Amino acid sequence: MSEVTALIENHQKQLEEIKGLLEIAERPRFKALLQNEHSRIKSLILNLMPQDHDESDDDNDAHENNDEDRKTLFTPLNRFTYSQNLERIKFTVVLDNIQDAPTENIELNLKKQLIDLQVHDFNGKNFRFLLDPTVEEIVPDQSSFVVKENSIHLSIKKKEKKHWSELRETEDTIRKKDENLPMSDVVKDFARHMYSKGDDSTKQMIEEAYTKVHGSRLA
């Protein structure tokens, strides 16, 4: 079993535990908090599962692009450097004499976790610089590129102001992100409240659910 599969299964168990808490919750405020936590974990599962980067409205375009990719052979653009600050990450992708290529032959496709630079029909070849998926989300409509002598410069806006420790998302980076997403303090407080008010069976269920997720007893 891969680490990603194990994470998905763990999240699915968390969903079942939250459903159990929802069944015994009485106060609307805490029900809403649990529902939000349920939605957050469900989103984590969806993000871990293989899926297209395109939004649902772009499904047809996605299929067309995938068909086109299968027909087109690309030479990877492996010569590049990058630098970053908290707001942006900038790439310099090296390609000799690229300044002589027609502008319409250079295409930058961006999605929330996709950077796909393509150069078509240049010196008899197609070239590509691809990061899929990126380790963090980006803001496509605030990103850009410019062609200079022997290089293409990308300026990519980060969605969150933070340092990228890696460029691509891997099983290891997914696991680290998951470890940094503990149950909210409010949901913990709710679990404590339900524990204090519940009967013996309710207390046992809450204690088991909390211990299974966090590896420690509910303090």
Side-chain angles (χ1 to χ4, degrees):
M1 180 187 297
S2 70
E3 288 189 28
V4 172
T5 301
L7 285 174
I8 291 174
E9 290 186 357
N10 182 58
H11 287 323
Q12 288 171 336
K13 290 178 182 178
Q14 291 178 0
L15 286 182
E16 292 301 317
E17 290 154 5
I18 291 175
K19 286 179 182 178
L21 292 174
L22 278 168
E23 289 177 359
I24 59 176
E26 297 177 353
R27 290 189 284 180
R29 176 170 173 266
F30 285 124
K31 280 187 176 181
L33 291 169
L34 284 170
Q35 287 166 348
N36 288 338
E37 184 71 3
H38 186 279
S39 298
R40 184 184 71 81
I41 294 175
K42 190 173 181 180
S43 296
L44 288 176
I45 293 174
L46 292 175
N47 288 335
L48 287 169
M49 289 181 172
Q51 57 184 311
D52 291 334
H53 288 279
D54 299 271
E55 301 297 333
S56 57
D57 291 342
D58 298 325
D59 279 346
N60 291 334
D61 290 339
H63 291 304
E64 292 175 4
N65 289 339
N66 289 337
D67 291 340
E68 186 65 26
D69 287 347
R70 282 193 287 270
K71 298 174 185 177
T72 304
L73 295 177
F74 288 97
T75 298
L77 291 169
N78 294 325
R79 290 192 295 161
F80 70 93
T81 60
Y82 71 93
S83 61
Q84 63 176 307
N85 55 34
L86 293 179
E87 294 187 351
R88 287 186 174 271
I89 185 163
K90 299 181 180 181
F91 297 89
T92 298
V93 182
V94 178
L95 182 56
D96 293 339
N97 301 315
I98 185 59
Q99 70 274 9
D100 298 330
T103 303
E104 61 270 20
N105 287 20
I106 303 173
E107 180 182 7
L108 180 61
N109 299 308
L110 301 173
K111 301 295 181 183
K112 64 181 181 179
Q113 277 188 281
L114 172 71
I115 300 174
D116 185 7
L117 173 67
Q118 299 181 13
V119 179
H120 298 276
D121 194 21
F122 180 60
N123 291 337
K125 294 183 179 180
N126 301 301
F127 298 88
R128 192 179 204 178
F129 172 75
L130 178 65
L131 292 178
D132 180 24
T134 55
V135 70
E136 301 287 348
E137 292 188 17
I138 65 172
V139 184
D141 60 4
Q142 295 182 37
S143 303
S144 61
F145 77 95
V146 62
V147 178
K148 297 187 177 181
E149 185 174 0
N150 299 321
S151 60
I152 303 173
H153 296 251
L154 314 182
S155 178
I156 306 298
K157 173 71 172 179
K158 299 176 180 178
K159 184 175 181 179
E160 294 184 25
K161 294 182 179 181
K162 61 189 298 185
H163 178 82
W164 287 16
S165 58
E166 305 283 348
L167 295 180
R168 292 179 175 85
E169 186 170 70
T170 64
E171 291 186 5
D172 187 53
T173 59
I174 291 172
R175 178 179 56 78
K176 289 179 179 178
K177 286 180 185 178
D178 183 66
E179 289 173 350
N180 291 327
L181 289 172
M183 191 184 223
S184 70
D185 288 339
V186 177
V187 175
K188 287 181 183 178
D189 289 342
F190 170 72
R192 293 190 186 100
H193 169 77
M194 294 304 300
Y195 185 89
S196 66
K197 300 294 183 182
D199 56 23
D200 289 343
S201 61
T202 298
K203 289 180 178 179
Q204 182 178 358
M205 185 196 72
I206 293 173
E207 186 68 53
E208 288 176 354
Y210 188 90
T211 301
K212 186 181 294 184
V213 174
H214 299 279
S216 61
R217 294 176 63 85
L218 182 62

